[in-house]
Amino acid sequence: MDRLIYVAMTGAKQSMQRQATVSSNLANAATPGFRADLDAFRAVPVLGEGAQTRAFVVAQSTGADLSPGVIQSTGRDMDAAINGDGWFTVQTGTGEAYTRNGGFEIDSSGLLKTRSGLVVMGENGPITVPDNTRISFGSDGTISGTPLDNPSATTDLGRLKLVNPAGTDVYKGSDGLFRMRDGSAAQPDDSVEVAPDALENSNVNTVDELVNMIGSQRHYDMQVQLIQTADTNARAVASVIQFTS
């Protein structure tokens, strides 16, 4: 079988992977705090007999676009956004993770959680909110609770664990959450600022992603055409051999 088929196959495979990444980004264009996924590829020369004229396409690295999204006011007391750099801390089954999605809820036991059910971490552990209490967020991450039956009795319920590790120190998992590459827990950072009653929009640029989708589809079609060309050439050669024999 002609080597062209294998070369084109790697190109088609990576084009499909890029399409999957773009599709995921578009699907999460309305997810608060979402960070767009990135794909990077490189050409690797095919070593062997003959001229070194062919190259495979391989995935070089994957990452995420860490640029901030637009902060939009929601007027909801349970919402908060990171203004600038930084992350909220949540507890998962494998340890701490970090997110920019500040749409919070209070479960039946009073624990502050994300809308996906993850426990939101404070500097001293999980944050518990008493019954019939309305909470508010301060710009430094402090959480204040005001009893509904006694609006003048505001109390301090704790402070969000806000972290700000370097972008190169974190990676994005398949669940959309970020974690430290070395498996450690990031330390709180007092410089992280919270915008109350607001959410950060996804940083996905839908126009760019649609253009990337079209480009990926064209690249895929081109690779498939190369495979078909290689098949046509192989059939022609087989026909000539059969005729001459």
Side-chain angles (χ1 to χ4, degrees):
M1 186 180 294
D2 194 285
R3 298 174 185 172
L4 172 60
I5 293 180
Y6 294 103
V7 174
M9 179 186 66
T10 62
K13 177 182 177 181
Q14 300 305 335
S15 294
M16 291 179 63
Q17 179 177 330
R18 189 185 184 198
Q19 285 182 325
T21 299
V22 173
S23 297
S24 175
N25 289 341
L26 288 173
N28 288 281
T31 301
F34 181 80
R35 291 291 177 264
D37 292 310
L38 302 174
D39 278 329
F41 306 102
R42 62 188 176 95
V44 177
V46 178
L47 303 179
E49 299 178 356
Q52 305 299 314
T53 58
R54 292 184 172 93
F56 287 130
V57 179
V58 298
Q60 181 179 17
S61 63
T62 57
D65 180 5
L66 299 181
S67 60
V70 176
I71 295 179
Q72 183 175 3
S73 176
T74 63
R76 181 174 178 268
D77 295 335
M78 300 291 292
D79 290 339
I82 299 292
N83 189 9
D85 295 331
W87 305 86
F88 297 111
T89 305
V90 295
Q91 184 68 34
T92 70
T94 57
E96 283 190 359
Y98 310 104
T99 180
R100 298 275 296 194
N101 189 344
F104 302 134
E105 302 282 356
I106 301 175
D107 70 2
S108 58
S109 61
L111 282 176
L112 186 66
K113 292 186 175 182
T114 65
R115 292 179 179 175
S116 59
L118 297 175
V119 175
V120 179
M121 298 299 292
E123 292 184 341
N124 297 315
I127 297 171
T128 302
V129 180
D131 291 338
N132 300 318
T133 299
R134 182 173 62 87
I135 68 172
S136 60
F137 296 97
S139 60
D140 61 349
T142 300
I143 303 176
S144 300
T146 303
L148 298 179
D149 57 356
N150 189 6
S152 62
T154 300
T155 59
D156 187 354
L157 302 179
R159 185 179 181 185
L160 294 170
K161 182 179 179 182
L162 304 172
V163 301
N164 188 21
T168 54
D169 293 339
V170 296
Y171 72 94
K172 185 178 180 180
S174 58
D175 55 3
L177 300 174
F178 287 77
R179 294 171 175 84
M180 298 291 289
R181 293 187 183 277
D182 59 5
S184 64
Q187 296 300 311
D189 190 329
D190 293 338
S191 66
V192 179
E193 183 180 349
V194 173
D197 306 338
L199 288 175
E200 179 187 9
N201 294 333
S202 167
N203 69 348
V204 173
N205 186 316
T206 54
V207 175
D208 288 346
E209 294 300 330
L210 288 172
V211 172
N212 291 336
M213 177 67 77
I214 295 172
S216 297
Q217 182 61 49
R218 289 178 176 174
H219 290 159
Y220 178 81
D221 292 341
M222 180 181 66
Q223 301 300 333
V224 171
Q225 289 177 4
L226 288 175
I227 294 174
Q228 293 173 344
T229 299
D231 180 63
T232 300
N233 292 342
R235 290 177 183 274
V237 171
S239 177
V240 171
I241 294 175
Q242 182 179 9
F243 178 75
T244 56
S245 61

